Amino acid sequence: MSATALPAAPRPLLLGLIGTGLQLSRTPAMHMREAAAQGIACVYRPIDLTALGLGAAALPELLTAAERMGFDGLNITHPCKQAVIPLLSALSAEATALGAVNTVVLRDGARIGHNTDCSGFAEGFRRQLPEVPLARAVQLGAGGAGTAVAEAAMRLGIGRLTLFDIDAGRAGTVAAALCDRHGAGRAVAGTDLAAAMAEADGLIHATPTGTAAHPGLPLDPDLLQPRHWVSEIVYFPLETPLLRVARAKGCRTAHGGGMAVFQAVHAFRLFSGREPDVARMQAHFAEMIAGG
């Protein structure tokens, strides 16, 4: 009598996150919990440049080390989303358009760069702010994450996006690239925040302001009116000072957890080749945030 062969266990995953100040990131835990729920052994290691005393210049060494140690993929965060691009074999269409990578799949000797920040923000926005007016919006921040968020804003149907950044030239560059892809006049670098907010339907916040390391508000709260919607990308804390003020004024709001979860959902699909359980990942994220 022959023994029945047991089904092969799913291939284990070895993943990492490269960036600075990673101690509060929930991405490693989200990937490991979802993998475990699917019967996949997964180790996800934060590679914190700050803790290692390194900068973005260490990226070539780190990518080579990850390949040699058999990593399946890496998430990439500040300050490496642009710096990693010259080190990759190929880019997805999304990453090429944005000039930023937050997910690298390591497979068969190739390094393939993707961007799941854009799709992650868009999905979180749709779920939290359905049917809001989208004629005009203001976005604060045009860095690595801000670039992806601005592209998502175009895809969500925002008619005209006014971008503000501490580096006015960077805002202008991002606005010009958006107009090239989506049509003249769809985006512009702003010069007068009060005037832009007076005309806008809503506000997208894509700077670190509101985190523990960068406390405070990103704009004068008097510029917020009850008719505005406010969408945040900061997720720790989930209730940022900006969202607290906006809700007190009667604004509709979207917290940064939407982008955090859905960028991980889309990255998990790329790393594992499996379909993640979105509701399960949302529940796990909520559990982690509630636990502090």
Side-chain angles (χ1 to χ4, degrees), residues 102-218:
N102 79 323
T103 301
V104 177
V105 176
L106 302 173
R107 192 165 295 151
D108 301 324
R111 304 168 174 177
I112 313 300
H114 299 265
N115 191 300
T116 68
D117 284 335
C118 178
S119 58
F121 177 83
E123 187 63 26
F125 187 102
R126 288 189 196 99
R127 292 181 180 233
Q128 295 185 72
L129 291 171
E131 300 179 0
V132 293
L134 299 174
R136 292 175 179 264
V138 167
Q139 179 174 314
L140 305 179
T147 299
V149 167
E151 174 67 17
M154 296 289 96
R155 299 182 187 187
L156 286 163
I158 288 173
R160 182 178 174 87
L161 184 68
T162 304
L163 288 156
F164 291 85
D165 191 87
I166 193 169
D167 181 342
R170 183 164 62 183
T173 298
V174 172
L178 291 170
C179 289
D180 286 344
R181 290 196 296 272
H182 298 282
R186 290 288 304 279
V188 63
T191 56
D192 185 336
L193 181 57
M197 286 297 295
E199 296 180 345
D201 297 306
L203 172 71
I204 298 170
H205 177 230
T207 85
T209 304
T211 62
H214 302 275
L217 290 167

Side-chain angles (χ1 to χ4, degrees), residues 215-277:
L217 290 167
L219 81 170
D220 182 342
D222 288 341
L223 299 182
L224 288 173
Q225 301 299 321
R227 62 182 177 80
H228 287 133
W229 50 260
V230 176
S231 184
E232 173 73 270
I233 71 163
V234 172
Y235 72 85
F236 199 87
L238 200 61
E239 171 83 344
T240 63
L242 173 62
L243 292 185
R244 191 176 304 117
V245 168
R247 273 196 280 270
K249 287 176 172 279
C251 301
R252 292 181 65 181
T253 62
H255 59 69
M259 181 176 178
V261 170
F262 285 102
Q263 65 80 20
V265 165
H266 300 157
F268 183 88
R269 187 181 295 119
L270 291 168
F271 290 144
S272 68
R274 291 193 167 208
E275 194 60 32
D277 185 316

